[in-house]
Amino acid sequence: MDKLDTMRTFLTVVQEGAFTKAADKLNLSPQLVSKYISALEQSLHTRLLQRTTRRLSLTQAGAEYYQRCVQVIADIDEMENELTQHAEVVSGTLTVSAPMSFGSLHLPQLLMDFQQAYPAIKLNIKLTDLKVDIVEDGIDVAIRIGHLADSSYIGKKVAPIYIAIMASADYLVHQGIPKTPAELQHHTYLKYSYSDDAMLFAGFEQTSQSLKFNENLIANNGELLVNTAILGGGIVIQPTFIASKALAEGKLVRILRNFEPKPMGLYMVYANRQFLAAKVQCFVNFVSQYYGQTPYWDDVL
């Protein structure tokens, strides 16, 4: 009886909450599942599960063993996936979702480099600033920007995303430079549709009350807002991955540096680590090392 088989059976029993459900999922008989668990407990000389007529529950030793099993099995699956990638050509269509501006500005070179490394993988890129349902929309990997919420998905951080408050020098000469976030209420503000900008400053005592911005222009695209700010249209709050070139060239001036919102993260999100498709694993591994701790768009600032 293989030790890994018994560990996988134990994990499935815990996750399904019953021997019969685990047996159905593993395509085994309930008797064989019970035999595997008993053999595992005997080999460990400890009871892992409390069995009653109504339910199963983990003992303290069982809970500790379960956590170790999850990591061991995940590591083995990942190792086997990597070995499989070396043994055969990785192919198939990989569907990737990414934010609109980040995708258009910073994905083209990455995608070219990835396809040079994995020419048999076809890429289907879907750009949207709306949050997609990975499973329902058939997405293999979603590139997301923000503060990753707890979920059943796996999230791997790729790089930090810094947020800057900016305006053109000409605008600031004519309208003045705000010294606190509260003074932004007296300026022309260029708003991004999907952000709650008052919440960006929620951590500062000076702005404990909700700010009421003078939202002269609202748009669902950060590049449009940054380009409008360059022309003197107002003050904009956007990520440096959109505005770094304009900042480096002096077309925009960074203001309120002491009040900048907390950095967000650039993440890759995918459905499940276990039995991860080789094409997904290749992309995740490739992107996770691509931008580095200080992305190139922040190197110029």
Side-chain angles (χ1 to χ4, degrees), residues 48-292:
L48 301 175
L49 294 170
Q50 296 286 2
R51 304 162 176 81
T52 67
T53 55
R54 288 190 171 186
R55 61 192 291 270
L56 292 174
S57 61
L58 286 166
T59 64
Q60 183 176 348
E64 293 174 0
Y65 188 72
Y66 175 79
Q67 294 300 324
R68 293 290 185 92
C69 280
V70 169
Q71 187 60 55
V72 168
I73 296 299
D75 288 342
I76 289 172
D77 289 340
E78 186 171 328
M79 177 185 66
E80 290 179 347
N81 280 330
E82 291 176 357
L83 291 174
T84 300
Q85 293 164 23
H86 289 299
E88 61 185 27
V89 175
V90 183
S91 61
T93 299
L94 183 74
T95 302
V96 179
S97 170
M100 187 71 68
S101 293
F102 185 86
S104 62
L105 291 171
H106 301 293
L107 278 188
Q109 188 63 56
L110 180 150
L111 298 176
M112 287 181 60
D113 292 343
F114 178 76
Q115 287 201 302
Q116 186 173 2
Y118 299 97
I121 296 180
K122 297 180 180 179
L123 294 171
N124 179 17
I125 309 301
K126 298 184 176 183
L127 299 184
T128 177
D129 288 338
L130 298 175
K131 189 174 181 180
V132 298
D133 185 301
I134 293 176
V135 174
E136 188 174 315
D137 295 332
I139 304 298
D140 292 309
V141 181
I143 296 175
R144 289 181 177 167
I145 293 170
H147 302 289
L148 200 63
D150 291 335
S151 73
S152 58
Y153 298 138
I154 306 299
K156 189 177 183 69
K157 189 173 181 178
V158 177
I161 297 293
Y162 296 99
I163 310 298
I165 310 167
M166 304 158 285
S168 70
D170 183 66
Y171 174 89
L172 295 172
V173 166
H174 289 90
Q175 303 298 328
I177 302 175
K179 304 300 182 184
T180 67
E183 292 181 22
L184 291 174
Q185 297 175 106
H186 309 299
H187 285 264
T188 302
Y189 180 61
L190 309 173
K191 178 179 172 57
Y192 179 57
S193 302
Y194 303 124
S195 69
D196 182 353
D197 293 305
M199 290 299 295
L200 294 173
F201 303 104
F204 296 101
E205 293 181 2
Q206 299 93 326
T207 57
S208 57
Q209 296 181 347
S210 296
L211 299 177
K212 295 181 180 179
F213 292 102
N214 185 16
E215 299 166 353
N216 292 57
L217 173 62
I218 302 174
N220 64 351
N221 181 267
E223 288 176 89
L224 183 150
L225 296 172
V226 166
N227 289 332
T228 302
I230 290 171
L231 296 174
I235 292 175
V236 68
I237 303 175
Q238 282 292 305
T240 55
F241 72 75
I242 295 178
S244 61
K245 187 172 185 291
L247 288 168
E249 294 175 352
K251 295 179 180 178
L252 287 177
V253 177
R254 210 163 174 173
I255 60 174
L256 296 172
R257 294 295 298 266
N258 292 332
F259 297 95
E260 287 182 343
K262 290 182 179 180
M264 296 187 291
L266 176 68
Y267 293 92
M268 284 181 295
V269 180
Y270 46 100
N272 202 320
R273 188 180 180 186
Q274 191 175 21
F275 307 125
L276 197 61
K279 61 183 180 180
V280 176
Q281 187 69 63
C282 286
F283 188 76
V284 168
N285 290 343
F286 187 87
V287 177
S288 65
Q289 305 297 324
Y290 193 81
Y291 295 115

